[in-house]
Amino acid sequence: MPDAGSLLSCSFCGKNQKQVKKLIAGPSAYICDGCMRRVHTVLASPGRTASTPIAMIQQVGDEPGAGQCSFCGKPRYRVAAMASAGTTRMCNECLELCDEIVSEELKERKPPSDTQG
């Protein structure tokens, strides 16, 4: 079993992969299922923030130089919305892709329904 130092951790809350249900990796950041929900909440309500043990998740404004998504690299002005936690950023498009990944994995884990009558 790997030690805690070699476990991957969520870039938004700091929890490691053993402490969360799902951890999704991007090229330079990770997000857990709990922080995915927090980002949804923040993006749905302008001005709303969410706290984690290591950062405050908040919306990124669309001013020039607002940064780029840590998952896809798109600059803020090219996406409808973006949230940040410290220096880590996630756009709405990557959040939707993460939702799809989690949804597909849940479908795969679901036992087949009984088709016999």
Side-chain angles (χ1 to χ4, degrees), residues 16-86:
N16 71 49
Q17 65 196 67
K18 301 277 187 191
Q19 297 172 304
V20 299
K21 289 181 184 175
K22 185 69 184 163
L23 186 68
I24 297 177
S28 63
Y30 299 91
I31 190 166
C32 71
D33 54 297
C35 286
M36 287 171 52
R37 287 190 300 274
R38 289 181 191 96
V39 170
H40 271 293
T41 299
V42 167
L43 293 182
S45 305
R48 183 142 186 202
T49 61
S51 298
T52 74
I54 64 169
M56 178 72 66
I57 301 173
Q58 57 193 6
Q59 283 194 25
V60 175
D62 58 1
E63 63 275 352
Q68 62 187 40
C69 179
S70 300
F71 291 82
C72 70
K74 286 183 183 174
R76 168 60 185 95
Y77 70 87
R78 290 202 44 219
V79 295
M82 188 176 288
S84 69

Side-chain angles (χ1 to χ4, degrees), residues 24 31 36 71 90 93-103:
I24 297 177
I31 190 166
M36 287 171 52
F71 291 82
M90 178 174 239
E93 294 173 5
C94 287
L95 183 59
E96 289 173 18
L97 287 172
C98 288
D99 289 338
E100 289 177 23
I101 290 167
V102 171
S103 176

